[in-house]
Every structure is written in C-alpha cells, then in structure tokens.
Amino acid sequence: MTEKSHAPDRSTDQGVRAAARAALAERTLDFVVLVSLLAAVTTMFLLAGPQAFAAVTSVATGLFAAWRGRRRQ
C-alpha cells in the first residue's frame, strides 16, 4: 500500500495561529490589569497603613476576580 501525502490545510493552520494570538493578547491584558491593580493596592496600602491590609487585599482580589469573571460568562 502506498501512503498519500497530504498538503497541510492552510486554513486550519491560520485558524490555530489566530487563536494562539488571541489567547496571548488575552493573557497579556490580564497581566497588565493585575500589575495595575497591584500598583493601586500598594499605593492604597502605603496611604492607609498596615491596619487596612485585609480590606485592601480583599478589594484587590474582588476587582481582579470581577475582571476575570466578566469574560467567562
């Protein structure tokens, strides 16, 4: 028996690449938002002092969870 060689399906390959680029863009945006939230929380912590650590941490966690949750629905 002989094997037929098939040329790679370019439309599928382009679709995979486009999906990979979209995933990378989403992860990059998540990273930028997380770092921005960390900077904001650090500033709030420095202004409020160590007494507000739990509140500041909870707010930051809630904001990031809301950011991630809005796209998953």
Coordinates of all heavy atoms in Angstrom, one line a residue:
M1 N 0.8 -1.2 0.0 CA 0.0 0.0 0.0 C 0.9 1.2 0.0 O 1.9 1.2 0.6 CB -0.9 0.0 1.2 CG -1.9 -1.0 1.3 SD -3.1 -0.5 2.6 CE -4.4 -1.5 2.0
T2 N 0.4 2.2 -0.6 CA 1.1 3.5 -0.7 C 0.4 4.5 0.2 O -0.8 4.5 0.2 CB 1.3 4.0 -2.1 OG1 0.0 4.2 -2.6 CG2 2.0 3.0 -3.0
E3 N 1.2 5.4 0.8 CA 0.6 6.4 1.6 C 0.5 7.7 0.7 O 1.4 8.0 0.0 CB 1.5 6.8 2.8 CG 1.3 5.8 3.9 CD 2.0 6.3 5.1 OE1 2.0 7.5 5.4 OE2 2.6 5.5 5.8
K4 N -0.6 8.3 0.8 CA -0.8 9.6 0.1 C -0.3 10.7 1.0 O -0.6 10.7 2.2 CB -2.2 9.9 -0.3 CG -2.7 8.9 -1.3 CD -4.2 9.2 -1.6 CE -4.8 8.3 -2.6 NZ -6.1 8.6 -2.9
S5 N 0.5 11.6 0.5 CA 0.9 12.7 1.3 C 0.0 13.9 1.1 O -0.4 14.2 0.0 CB 2.4 13.2 1.0 OG 2.4 13.8 -0.3
H6 N -0.5 14.4 2.2 CA -1.4 15.5 2.1 C -0.7 16.8 2.4 O 0.1 16.9 3.4 CB -2.6 15.3 3.2 CG -3.4 14.1 2.9 ND1 -4.3 14.1 1.9 CD2 -3.5 12.9 3.4 CE1 -4.9 12.9 1.8 NE2 -4.4 12.1 2.8
A7 N -1.1 17.8 1.7 CA -0.5 19.1 2.0 C -1.3 19.6 3.2 O -2.4 19.3 3.4 CB -0.8 20.1 0.8
P8 N -0.5 20.3 4.1 CA -1.2 20.9 5.3 C -2.3 21.8 4.9 O -2.2 22.6 4.0 CB -0.1 21.6 6.0 CG 1.1 21.7 5.1 CD 0.8 20.7 4.0
D9 N -3.4 21.7 5.7 CA -4.5 22.6 5.5 C -4.2 24.0 6.0 O -4.1 24.2 7.2 CB -5.7 22.0 6.2 CG -7.0 22.8 5.9 OD1 -7.0 23.7 5.0 OD2 -8.0 22.5 6.5
R10 N -4.0 24.9 5.1 CA -3.6 26.3 5.5 C -4.6 27.0 6.3 O -4.3 27.8 7.2 CB -3.1 27.1 4.3 CG -1.9 26.5 3.6 CD -1.5 27.4 2.4 NE -0.5 26.7 1.6 CZ 0.8 26.9 1.8 NH1 1.2 27.7 2.7 NH2 1.7 26.2 1.0
S11 N -5.9 26.8 6.0 CA -6.9 27.5 6.7 C -7.0 27.0 8.2 O -7.2 27.9 9.0 CB -8.3 27.3 6.0 OG -8.6 25.9 6.1
T12 N -6.7 25.8 8.4 CA -6.7 25.3 9.8 C -5.5 25.8 10.5 O -5.6 26.2 11.7 CB -6.7 23.7 9.8 OG1 -7.8 23.2 9.1 CG2 -6.7 23.2 11.2
D13 N -4.3 25.8 9.8 CA -3.1 26.4 10.4 C -3.3 27.9 10.7 O -2.8 28.3 11.8 CB -2.0 26.2 9.4 CG -0.6 26.5 10.0 OD1 -0.4 26.1 11.2 OD2 0.3 27.0 9.3
Q14 N -3.9 28.6 9.9 CA -4.1 30.0 10.1 C -5.1 30.2 11.3 O -4.9 31.1 12.1 CB -4.6 30.7 8.9 CG -3.6 30.9 7.8 CD -4.1 31.4 6.5 OE1 -5.3 31.6 6.4 NE2 -3.3 31.8 5.6
G15 N -6.1 29.4 11.4 CA -7.0 29.4 12.5 C -6.4 29.2 13.8 O -6.6 29.8 14.8
V16 N -5.5 28.2 13.8 CA -4.7 27.9 15.1 C -3.8 29.0 15.5 O -3.8 29.4 16.6 CB -3.9 26.6 14.9 CG1 -2.9 26.4 16.0 CG2 -4.8 25.4 14.7
R17 N -3.2 29.6 14.5 CA -2.3 30.8 14.8 C -3.1 32.0 15.3 O -2.7 32.7 16.2 CB -1.5 31.2 13.5 CG -0.4 30.2 13.2 CD 0.4 30.6 12.1 NE 1.4 29.6 11.7 CZ 2.1 29.6 10.6 NH1 1.9 30.6 9.7 NH2 3.0 28.7 10.4
A18 N -4.3 32.2 14.7 CA -5.1 33.3 15.1 C -5.6 33.1 16.6 O -5.6 34.0 17.4 CB -6.3 33.5 14.2
A19 N -6.0 31.8 16.9 CA -6.4 31.5 18.2 C -5.3 31.7 19.2 O -5.5 32.2 20.3 CB -7.0 30.1 18.3
A20 N -4.1 31.3 18.8 CA -2.9 31.5 19.7 C -2.6 32.9 20.0 O -2.3 33.3 21.1 CB -1.7 30.8 19.1
R21 N -2.7 33.8 18.9 CA -2.5 35.2 19.1 C -3.6 35.8 20.0 O -3.3 36.7 20.8 CB -2.5 35.9 17.7 CG -1.2 35.8 17.0 CD -1.1 36.7 15.8 NE -2.2 36.5 14.8 CZ -2.0 35.7 13.8 NH1 -0.9 35.1 13.6 NH2 -3.0 35.5 12.9
A22 N -4.8 35.4 19.8 CA -5.9 35.9 20.7 C -5.7 35.5 22.1 O -5.9 36.3 23.0 CB -7.3 35.4 20.2
A23 N -5.3 34.3 22.4 CA -5.0 33.8 23.7 C -3.9 34.6 24.3 O -3.9 35.0 25.5 CB -4.7 32.3 23.7
L24 N -2.8 34.8 23.6 CA -1.7 35.6 24.1 C -2.1 37.1 24.4 O -1.7 37.6 25.4 CB -0.5 35.6 23.0 CG 0.7 36.4 23.4 CD1 1.3 35.8 24.7 CD2 1.7 36.4 22.3
A25 N -2.9 37.6 23.5 CA -3.4 39.0 23.8 C -4.2 39.1 25.1 O -4.1 40.0 25.9 CB -4.2 39.5 22.6
E26 N -5.1 38.0 25.3 CA -5.9 38.0 26.5 C -5.0 37.8 27.7 O -5.2 38.5 28.7 CB -6.9 36.8 26.4 CG -7.7 36.7 27.6 CD -8.7 35.5 27.5 OE1 -8.9 35.0 26.4 OE2 -9.2 35.1 28.6
R27 N -4.0 37.0 27.7 CA -3.1 36.8 28.8 C -2.3 38.0 29.1 O -2.1 38.4 30.3 CB -2.2 35.6 28.6 CG -2.9 34.2 28.4 CD -3.7 33.8 29.6 NE -2.8 33.5 30.7 CZ -3.1 33.3 31.9 NH1 -4.4 33.3 32.3 NH2 -2.2 33.0 32.8
T28 N -1.9 38.7 28.1 CA -1.1 39.9 28.2 C -2.0 41.0 28.9 O -1.5 41.7 29.8 CB -0.6 40.4 26.9 OG1 0.2 39.4 26.3 CG2 0.3 41.7 27.0
L29 N -3.2 41.1 28.4 CA -4.1 42.1 29.0 C -4.4 41.8 30.5 O -4.4 42.7 31.4 CB -5.4 42.1 28.3 CG -6.4 43.2 28.7 CD1 -5.8 44.6 28.6 CD2 -7.7 43.1 27.9
D30 N -4.6 40.5 30.8 CA -4.7 40.1 32.2 C -3.5 40.5 33.1 O -3.7 40.9 34.2 CB -5.0 38.6 32.3 CG -6.3 38.2 31.9 OD1 -7.2 39.0 31.8 OD2 -6.5 37.0 31.6
F31 N -2.3 40.3 32.5 CA -1.1 40.6 33.2 C -1.0 42.1 33.5 O -0.7 42.5 34.6 CB 0.1 40.2 32.4 CG 1.4 40.5 33.1 CD1 1.9 39.9 34.2 CD2 2.2 41.6 32.5 CE1 3.1 40.2 34.8 CE2 3.4 41.9 33.1 CZ 3.8 41.3 34.3
V32 N -1.4 42.9 32.5 CA -1.3 44.4 32.6 C -2.3 44.8 33.7 O -2.0 45.6 34.6 CB -1.6 45.1 31.3 CG1 -1.8 46.6 31.5 CG2 -0.4 44.8 30.3
V33 N -3.5 44.2 33.7 CA -4.5 44.6 34.7 C -4.1 44.2 36.1 O -4.2 44.9 37.0 CB -5.9 44.0 34.3 CG1 -6.9 44.1 35.4 CG2 -6.4 44.6 33.0
L34 N -3.6 43.0 36.2 CA -3.1 42.5 37.5 C -2.0 43.4 38.1 O -2.0 43.8 39.2 CB -2.6 41.1 37.4 CG -2.2 40.4 38.7 CD1 -3.3 40.4 39.8 CD2 -1.7 39.0 38.5
V35 N -1.0 43.8 37.3 CA 0.0 44.6 37.7 C -0.5 46.0 38.1 O -0.1 46.6 39.1 CB 1.2 44.7 36.7 CG1 2.2 45.8 37.0 CG2 1.9 43.4 36.5
S36 N -1.4 46.5 37.3 CA -2.0 47.8 37.6 C -2.8 47.8 39.0 O -2.7 48.7 39.8 CB -3.0 48.2 36.5 OG -2.3 48.4 35.3
L37 N -3.5 46.7 39.2 CA -4.2 46.5 40.4 C -3.2 46.4 41.6 O -3.5 47.0 42.7 CB -5.1 45.3 40.4 CG -6.5 45.5 39.7 CD1 -7.2 44.1 39.6 CD2 -7.3 46.5 40.4
L38 N -2.2 45.7 41.4 CA -1.2 45.6 42.5 C -0.5 46.9 42.8 O -0.3 47.3 43.9 CB -0.1 44.6 42.1 CG -0.5 43.1 42.1 CD1 0.6 42.2 41.5 CD2 -0.8 42.7 43.5
A39 N -0.3 47.8 41.8 CA 0.3 49.1 42.0 C -0.7 50.0 42.7 O -0.4 50.7 43.7 CB 0.6 49.7 40.7
A40 N -2.0 49.9 42.4 CA -3.1 50.6 43.1 C -3.2 50.2 44.5 O -3.3 51.0 45.4 CB -4.4 50.5 42.3
V41 N -3.2 48.9 44.7 CA -3.3 48.4 46.1 C -2.1 48.7 46.9 O -2.2 49.1 48.1 CB -3.5 46.8 46.0 CG1 -3.3 46.2 47.4 CG2 -4.9 46.5 45.5
T42 N -0.9 48.7 46.3 CA 0.3 49.1 47.1 C 0.2 50.6 47.5 O 0.5 50.9 48.6 CB 1.5 48.9 46.2 OG1 1.6 47.5 45.9 CG2 2.8 49.3 46.9
T43 N -0.3 51.4 46.6 CA -0.4 52.8 46.9 C -1.5 53.0 48.0 O -1.2 53.8 49.0 CB -0.9 53.6 45.7 OG1 0.1 53.4 44.6 CG2 -1.0 55.1 45.9
M44 N -2.6 52.3 47.9 CA -3.6 52.4 49.0 C -3.1 51.9 50.3 O -3.4 52.5 51.4 CB -4.9 51.6 48.6 CG -5.6 52.3 47.5 SD -7.1 51.4 46.9 CE -7.3 50.0 47.7
F45 N -2.3 50.8 50.3 CA -1.7 50.3 51.5 C -0.8 51.3 52.1 O -0.8 51.5 53.4 CB -1.0 49.0 51.2 CG -0.4 48.3 52.4 CD1 -1.2 47.8 53.4 CD2 1.0 48.3 52.5 CE1 -0.6 47.2 54.5 CE2 1.6 47.8 53.7 CZ 0.8 47.2 54.6
L46 N 0.1 51.9 51.3 CA 1.0 52.9 51.9 C 0.3 54.1 52.5 O 0.7 54.6 53.5 CB 2.0 53.3 50.8 CG 3.0 52.3 50.3 CD1 3.8 52.8 49.1 CD2 3.9 51.9 51.5
L47 N -0.8 54.5 51.9 CA -1.6 55.6 52.4 C -2.4 55.2 53.6 O -2.5 56.0 54.6 CB -2.5 56.2 51.3 CG -1.9 56.8 50.1 CD1 -2.9 57.2 49.0 CD2 -1.1 58.0 50.5
A48 N -3.0 54.0 53.6 CA -3.8 53.6 54.8 C -3.1 53.0 55.9 O -3.6 53.1 57.0 CB -4.9 52.6 54.3
G49 N -2.0 52.5 55.6 CA -1.2 51.8 56.7 C -1.5 50.4 56.9 O -2.4 49.8 56.3
P50 N -0.8 49.7 57.7 CA -0.9 48.3 57.9 C -2.3 47.9 58.5 O -2.7 46.7 58.4 CB 0.2 47.8 58.8 CG 0.9 49.1 59.3 CD 0.3 50.2 58.5
Q51 N -3.0 48.8 59.2 CA -4.3 48.5 59.8 C -5.3 48.1 58.7 O -6.3 47.4 58.9 CB -4.8 49.6 60.6 CG -4.0 50.0 61.7 CD -2.8 51.0 61.3 OE1 -2.8 51.4 60.2 NE2 -2.0 51.3 62.3
A52 N -5.1 48.6 57.5 CA -6.1 48.4 56.4 C -5.7 47.2 55.5 O -6.2 47.1 54.4 CB -6.3 49.6 55.6
F53 N -4.7 46.4 55.9 CA -4.2 45.4 55.0 C -5.3 44.4 54.5 O -5.4 44.1 53.3 CB -3.1 44.6 55.7 CG -2.5 43.5 54.8 CD1 -1.6 43.8 53.8 CD2 -2.8 42.2 55.0 CE1 -1.1 42.8 53.0 CE2 -2.2 41.2 54.2 CZ -1.4 41.5 53.2
A54 N -6.1 43.9 55.4 CA -7.1 42.9 55.0 C -8.1 43.6 54.0 O -8.5 42.9 53.0 CB -7.8 42.4 56.2
A55 N -8.5 44.8 54.3 CA -9.5 45.5 53.4 C -8.9 45.7 52.1 O -9.6 45.5 51.0 CB -10.0 46.8 54.1
V56 N -7.7 46.2 52.0 CA -7.1 46.5 50.7 C -6.9 45.2 49.9 O -7.2 45.2 48.7 CB -5.7 47.2 51.0 CG1 -4.9 47.3 49.7 CG2 -6.0 48.6 51.5
T57 N -6.4 44.2 50.6 CA -6.2 42.9 49.9 C -7.6 42.3 49.4 O -7.6 41.8 48.2 CB -5.6 41.9 50.8 OG1 -4.4 42.5 51.3 CG2 -5.2 40.6 50.1
S58 N -8.6 42.4 50.2 CA -9.9 41.9 49.7 C -10.5 42.7 48.5 O -11.0 42.1 47.6 CB -10.9 42.0 50.9 OG -10.5 41.2 52.0
V59 N -10.3 44.0 48.6 CA -10.8 44.8 47.4 C -10.0 44.4 46.2 O -10.6 44.3 45.1 CB -10.6 46.3 47.8 CG1 -10.8 47.1 46.5 CG2 -11.6 46.7 48.8
A60 N -8.7 44.3 46.3 CA -7.9 43.9 45.1 C -8.3 42.5 44.5 O -8.4 42.4 43.3 CB -6.4 43.9 45.4
T61 N -8.5 41.6 45.4 CA -8.9 40.3 45.0 C -10.3 40.3 44.3 O -10.5 39.7 43.3 CB -8.9 39.3 46.2 OG1 -7.7 39.3 46.8 CG2 -9.3 37.9 45.8
G62 N -11.2 41.1 44.9 CA -12.5 41.2 44.3 C -12.5 41.9 42.9 O -13.2 41.4 42.0
L63 N -11.6 42.9 42.8 CA -11.5 43.6 41.5 C -11.0 42.7 40.4 O -11.5 42.6 39.3 CB -10.7 44.8 41.6 CG -11.3 46.0 42.4 CD1 -10.3 47.1 42.6 CD2 -12.5 46.5 41.6
F64 N -9.9 41.9 40.8 CA -9.4 41.0 39.8 C -10.3 39.9 39.4 O -10.4 39.5 38.3 CB -8.0 40.5 40.2 CG -7.3 39.7 39.2 CD1 -6.8 40.4 38.1 CD2 -7.1 38.3 39.2 CE1 -6.1 39.7 37.1 CE2 -6.5 37.7 38.2 CZ -6.0 38.3 37.1
A65 N -11.0 39.4 40.4 CA -12.0 38.3 40.1 C -13.1 38.8 39.2 O -13.6 38.1 38.3 CB -12.6 37.8 41.4
A66 N -13.5 40.0 39.5 CA -14.6 40.6 38.6 C -14.0 40.8 37.2 O -14.7 40.6 36.2 CB -15.0 42.0 39.2
W67 N -12.8 41.2 37.1 CA -12.1 41.4 35.7 C -12.1 40.1 35.0 O -12.4 40.0 33.8 CB -10.7 42.0 35.9 CG -9.9 41.9 34.7 CD1 -9.0 41.0 34.3 CD2 -10.0 42.8 33.5 NE1 -8.5 41.2 33.1 CE2 -9.1 42.3 32.6 CE3 -10.8 43.9 33.2 CZ2 -8.9 43.0 31.4 CZ3 -10.6 44.5 32.0 CH2 -9.7 44.1 31.1
R68 N -11.7 39.0 35.6 CA -11.6 37.7 35.0 C -13.0 37.1 34.7 O -13.2 36.4 33.7 CB -10.8 36.7 35.9 CG -9.3 37.0 35.9 CD -8.6 36.8 34.6 NE -8.7 35.4 34.3 CZ -8.5 34.9 33.1 NH1 -8.2 35.7 32.1 NH2 -8.6 33.6 32.8
G69 N -13.9 37.3 35.6 CA -15.2 36.7 35.5 C -16.1 37.3 34.4 O -17.0 36.6 33.9
R70 N -15.9 38.5 34.0 CA -16.7 39.1 33.1 C -16.6 38.5 31.7 O -17.5 38.5 30.9 CB -16.4 40.6 33.0 CG -15.2 41.0 32.3 CD -15.0 42.5 32.1 NE -13.7 42.8 31.5 CZ -13.4 42.7 30.2 NH1 -14.4 42.4 29.4 NH2 -12.3 43.0 29.8
R71 N -15.5 37.9 31.3 CA -15.3 37.3 30.0 C -15.7 35.8 30.0 O -15.8 35.3 28.9 CB -13.8 37.4 29.6 CG -13.6 38.8 29.1 CD -12.2 39.0 28.6 NE -11.4 39.3 29.8 CZ -10.2 38.8 30.0 NH1 -9.7 37.9 29.2 NH2 -9.5 39.1 31.1
R72 N -15.8 35.2 31.1 CA -16.0 33.7 31.1 C -17.5 33.4 31.1 O -17.9 32.3 30.9 CB -15.4 33.2 32.4 CG -13.9 33.2 32.4 CD -13.4 32.5 33.5 NE -11.9 32.6 33.5 CZ -11.1 31.8 34.2 NH1 -11.6 30.9 34.9 NH2 -9.8 32.0 34.1
Q73 N -18.3 34.4 31.1 CA -19.8 34.1 31.1 C -20.3 33.9 29.7 O -19.9 34.2 28.7 CB -20.5 35.2 31.8 CG -20.2 35.3 33.3 CD -20.9 36.4 33.9 OE1 -21.6 37.3 33.3 NE2 -20.8 36.5 35.2

